[in-house]
Amino acid sequence: MRFKHLSAAILVSLASYSAIANDEAASQLAEPKIANTYINDKILPPAVEWHGKSEALLLGADDEWATPFEKNGLKTSPNYAETFAWLDKLVAQTDKLNKVSLGKSPQGRDIWMIIASSEGADTPAVLAENGKPSVLVQAGIHSGEIDGKDAGMMLLRDIVLGNKGALLDNANLLFVPIFSVDGHERSSQYNRVNQRGPVNMGWRTTANNLNLNRDYAKADTLEMQHMLQAVNEWQPDLYIDIHVTDGIDYQYDVTFGYNLPQGLSPASYAWLEKSYRPAIESALTRQGHIPGPLVFAIDNTDITKGMSLWNPSPRYSNGYGDARHLPTILIENHSLKPYKQRVLGTYVMLEATLKIVGQQATKLKSAIKQDKFRYPPRVTLTWKQVQQKQSWDFKGMEYRMEASPISGNDIVRWTGVPKIYPNLPVIANTVPDISVTRPSAYYIPPQWTEVIERLQIHGIRMTRLHQPTKMKLQQYELSAPKFSSKDYEGRQTVKAEARLESIETEMPSGTVRIDTQQPLGDLAILLLEPQSPDSLLQWGFFNPIFTHTEYIENYAVEPLAAQMLKDDPKLKLAFDIALKDEEFAADPKARLRWFYERSPYYDNQYQKYPVLREK
């Protein structure tokens, strides 16, 4: 999965890689073996043959309970119907599993979730009664990146029929095998050219060509609306979003990360970094995998330029989790590793997750509670990038640059030979840029129905005024709007300069009030502050406020301007000063507009942000 902005690695853990990197690299040196399993192997970097202890998790192809992945040579993944036919058969064997629909996709497919608990819970209320932490695992948000589906099917099988039943003693598992169900069925061996298996892969986007991992904040898609409702109803304590990355070649096969300590959930970050990461990395390493922080090179053609950390906004799963104080882990398996290796690494990580979450339930729940009721007096909306103090001894692969007669550029040729790149610089967006004081509440007039509906989908608490109410509030006056030159994720986005002013106004009956001292108060701020990159304003929900709907004819403004100049000497002085601008003076329309904007006929709501703040 490639993001527009370069993405994350977790700084605190980087130091530990330096000490063991050379020993591990030496043990893995091998002659590159060219794979021939997949149709695109011939155009990908060489694949180094892999064998690890986690291969013992596999069942033979002739076993009654082998998953479709295991039955078909560890290189395919079942389609939607095959997936749920197998899972239905498993669910029928036990009272520990239940299958519920989160809702239907635009093409009419159910988005199924498997609830795994020792008590056999089938509703959020029953699940909550056991008091155990719940882990929500989501596969196939990009449906071609489907490792988590096959890993989760194996793990559920081993919980029910194998020796992994104790995993449910102290934790619950909520498993969504396929999130983007319509994209999953747009399957082909040609869908993800940068990825080594499975043979057939789903499409990156939904049937509406929208990217679900850009949709958390705006929640335009039916699929995302169903998922957010599930999060609100089932109240997981940990959210895992499983992807497969693109980009450069390297040794790590399972990389994962989460938002940085500078974000809105510092207590959750501390638990993830100090308790969760060491346990997961240890489990993966014991099973023959090479775990690491998320890998995003600053320059894919020059590794020595370093790596980029990322503190994502709420359009992404981990940015959204940080904003709503739901610890969220982004797994990025390495696309160039064979499918078998990626699936088994994911299995190990999910198993280890259930263990550590069960063992540390109290600490995890305590961290979440601290973040939910923290209410920082200032909230950062945007961040600046700086080089970090901690560098990274990076477990990469050798490569050389070759001149291409096709493109005319120098291109990278990866050799498949492991190599350590010591002391690489790390760049991260960790310095606050735009920040705002925390208002006590926001007020949204009732006519902005789509905005109110989206906030309700997120689960943000709100009340309504039952009669017109005069109030002293703050309002943003917007200027210099810049609209995107092309559509992005189905919307015309916009940015504008914002100036906050104090006003006295009467809010109509039906106005929505959103208190920011609530568990999702920080999320409300990021959705409603106009300079937040994922504000509903920047996503285009308020674009009508930038449209002039009333106007004045020249024959009316001419005598109006003459009267205004006669009645107001200060206005005449201001106009004389304005005329010193030669461009303005030479533009008749601008001169007339200057008077119209200062007249009582002008639209006093033009470019006024309709969401008001209470100090």
Side-chain angles (χ1 to χ4, degrees):
M1 181 183 65
R2 180 173 295 133
F3 295 108
K4 183 177 180 181
H5 299 294
L6 292 170
S7 191
I10 303 302
L11 279 177
V12 178
S13 65
L14 296 182
S16 65
Y17 294 107
S18 178
I20 62 175
N22 292 322
D23 290 341
E24 289 191 4
S27 68
Q28 294 175 43
L29 287 173
E31 288 297 321
K33 179 178 180 180
I34 305 301
N36 57 9
T37 303
Y38 304 103
I39 194 170
N40 56 340
D41 275 329
K42 64 184 69 175
I43 62 174
L44 294 179
V48 178
E49 186 174 352
W50 174 87
H51 294 288
K53 290 183 179 179
S54 60
E55 288 177 301
L57 298 167
L58 296 165
L59 291 185
D62 58 349
D63 192 287
E64 176 188 4
W65 284 103
T67 65
F69 159 72
E70 292 166 311
K71 283 185 178 295
N72 292 295
L74 313 177
K75 61 184 182 180
T76 70
S77 188
N79 64 25
Y80 178 90
E82 293 166 341
T83 297
F84 292 107
W86 189 93
L87 283 168
D88 286 343
K89 179 182 173 184
L90 182 66
V91 171
Q93 306 301 308
T94 179
D95 59 3
K96 293 183 178 180
L97 303 185
N98 282 287
K99 188 179 82 167
V100 299
S101 174
L102 305 186
K104 290 189 181 293
S105 71
Q107 290 185 341
R109 296 181 179 90
D110 283 289
I111 302 171
W112 294 109
M113 182 170 75
I114 308 297
I115 303 102
S117 68
S118 57
E119 296 79 13
D122 58 357
T123 67
V126 174
L127 190 75
E129 287 176 0
N130 70 30
K132 302 171 188 176
S134 295
V135 179
L136 173 55
V137 175
Q138 167 187 288
I141 188 172
H142 297 149
S143 61
E145 305 168 24
I146 204 61
D147 308 9
K149 177 186 69 178
D150 293 296
M153 291 168 72
M154 290 175 58
L155 180 59
L156 285 175
R157 184 260 323 278
D158 294 343
I159 287 174
V160 172
L161 303 174
N163 60 356
K164 303 295 174 68
L167 292 173
L168 299 183
D169 288 349
N170 299 303
N172 308 308
L173 174 61
L174 307 172
F175 176 52
V176 179
I178 311 169
F179 183 12
S180 184
V181 289
D182 295 342
H184 186 274
E185 295 308 278
R186 186 181 171 183
S187 181
S188 168
Q189 60 184 331
Y190 297 105
N191 275 357
R192 285 184 60 82
V193 66
N194 305 307
Q195 183 173 305
R196 187 162 268 123
V199 171
N200 288 301
M201 293 171 274
W203 196 249
R204 179 176 176 82
T205 52
T206 68
N208 300 104
N209 205 35
L210 294 175
N211 187 335
L212 288 177
N213 203 30
R214 305 295 185 274
D215 196 41
Y216 279 88
K218 61 185 176 67
D220 277 337
T221 62
L222 270 178
E223 295 95 332
M224 186 56 69
Q225 292 174 15
H226 295 324
M227 182 59 71
L228 297 182
Q229 182 179 358
V231 169
N232 289 323
E233 290 181 351
W234 292 88
Q235 288 292 306
D237 300 281
L238 189 68
Y239 188 12
I240 296 182
D241 183 20
I242 305 172
H243 293 252
V244 180
T245 192
D246 299 323
I248 64 174
D249 199 4
Y250 45 79
Q251 298 172 51
Y252 311 102
D253 56 352
V254 181
T255 67
F256 62 98
Y258 26 81
N259 269 40
L260 305 181
Q262 291 82 6
L264 290 165
S265 297
S268 296
Y269 169 86
W271 182 85
L272 288 166
E273 189 64 18
K274 296 175 183 178
S275 297
Y276 180 82
R277 180 174 286 277
I280 301 304
E281 289 183 342
S282 177
L284 284 164
T285 301
R286 288 195 304 270
Q287 292 295 317
H289 297 275
I290 306 179
L294 294 172
V295 176
F296 293 88
I298 292 173
D299 183 344
N300 286 353
T301 67
D302 186 356
I303 303 305
T304 63
K305 290 184 180 179
M307 297 293 153
S308 175
L309 278 172
W310 183 50
N311 210 22
S313 68
R315 74 185 61 178
Y316 305 103
S317 61
N318 45 331
Y320 183 75
D322 182 67
R324 71 172 292 147
H325 315 303
L326 167 58
T328 300
I329 296 159
L330 176 68
I331 297 178
E332 288 279 9
N333 293 327
H334 188 210
S335 61
L336 296 176
K337 300 297 184 288
Y339 191 54
K340 175 189 74 171
Q341 182 178 356
R342 304 199 318 260
V343 170
L344 291 176
T346 306
Y347 180 115
V348 172
M349 184 164 179
L350 297 183
E351 178 186 2
T353 294
L354 289 174
K355 288 180 179 178
I356 188 65
V357 168
Q359 293 166 2
Q360 300 211 6
T362 301
K363 288 184 178 179
L364 173 58
K365 287 177 177 287
S366 175
I368 294 170
K369 188 174 182 179
Q370 288 179 54
D371 291 330
K372 281 184 175 181
F373 298 98
R374 183 167 155 259
Y375 308 141
R378 291 194 68 84
V379 175
T380 299
L381 305 179
T382 62
W383 300 84
K384 294 179 181 178
Q385 286 197 338
V386 295
Q387 184 167 336
Q388 306 298 293
K389 293 180 180 179
Q390 178 63 55
S391 60
W392 188 355
D393 288 345
F394 181 70
K395 298 177 184 178
M397 294 286 189
E398 283 186 352
Y399 68 95
R400 62 182 183 274
M401 301 300 296
E402 292 183 359
S404 169
I406 296 174
S407 67
N409 289 331
D410 288 342
I411 59 170
V412 174
R413 296 291 190 195
W414 303 99
T415 68
V417 176
K419 178 180 177 179
I420 299 298
Y421 295 85
N423 203 34
L424 290 185
V426 176
I427 307 297
N429 49 340
T430 54
V431 174
D433 184 15
I434 299 174
S435 63
V436 294
T437 57
R438 183 186 203 89
S440 61
Y442 292 100
Y443 290 85
I444 307 174
Q447 65 268 26
W448 295 99
T449 54
E450 186 181 29
V451 171
I452 295 168
E453 176 194 45
R454 295 303 162 89
L455 297 173
Q456 289 173 327
I457 288 171
H458 286 292
I460 294 170
R461 299 173 187 168
M462 57 186 70
T463 58
R464 287 189 184 263
L465 302 181
H466 297 297
Q467 60 185 17
T469 306
K470 291 184 178 180
M471 310 183 74
K472 292 182 178 180
L473 299 171
Q474 296 176 313
Q475 185 174 35
Y476 284 106
E477 184 169 337
L478 306 177
S479 61
K482 294 182 179 178
F483 293 89
S484 55
S485 60
K486 60 181 180 180
D487 177 274
Y488 177 64
E489 290 299 317
R491 289 189 167 270
Q492 185 182 26
T493 58
V494 61
K495 294 182 179 180
E497 297 177 9
R499 184 178 75 253
L500 196 60
E501 296 185 342
S502 296
I503 64 168
E504 291 188 31
T505 188
E506 182 175 273
M507 302 304 293
S509 177
T511 291
V512 164
R513 182 182 189 275
I514 296 174
D515 193 322
T516 66
Q517 289 203 3
Q518 60 169 295
L520 298 183
D522 292 341
L523 176 61
I525 292 172
L526 294 187
L527 293 175
L528 294 175
E529 283 295 325
Q531 290 181 292
S532 169
D534 270 324
S535 66
L536 297 182
L537 178 127
Q538 292 205 19
W539 275 115
F541 284 75
F542 293 97
N543 281 4
I545 70 174
F546 298 106
T547 301
H548 272 299
T549 56
E550 290 286 359
Y551 56 92
I552 188 169
E553 299 287 0
N554 289 355
Y555 62 75
V557 74
E558 287 279 3
L560 174 66
Q563 188 64 45
M564 291 169 67
L565 289 172
K566 180 180 178 181
D567 293 344
D568 190 345
K570 291 183 179 179
L571 184 72
K572 184 178 186 307
L573 178 60
F575 183 57
D576 290 340
I577 293 173
L579 288 173
K580 293 180 181 180
D581 183 329
E582 294 181 0
E583 184 177 349
F584 173 79
D587 187 343
K589 290 184 178 180
R591 292 168 65 154
L592 293 177
R593 187 169 60 249
W594 190 91
F595 285 97
Y596 177 44
E597 290 174 353
R598 288 158 178 78
S599 78
Y601 297 96
Y602 190 69
D603 179 6
N604 63 6
Q605 295 302 308
Y606 176 61
Q607 295 193 157
K608 297 288 183 67
Y609 185 45
V611 179
L612 281 71
R613 294 166 39 114
E614 185 175 38
K615 289 185 178 180

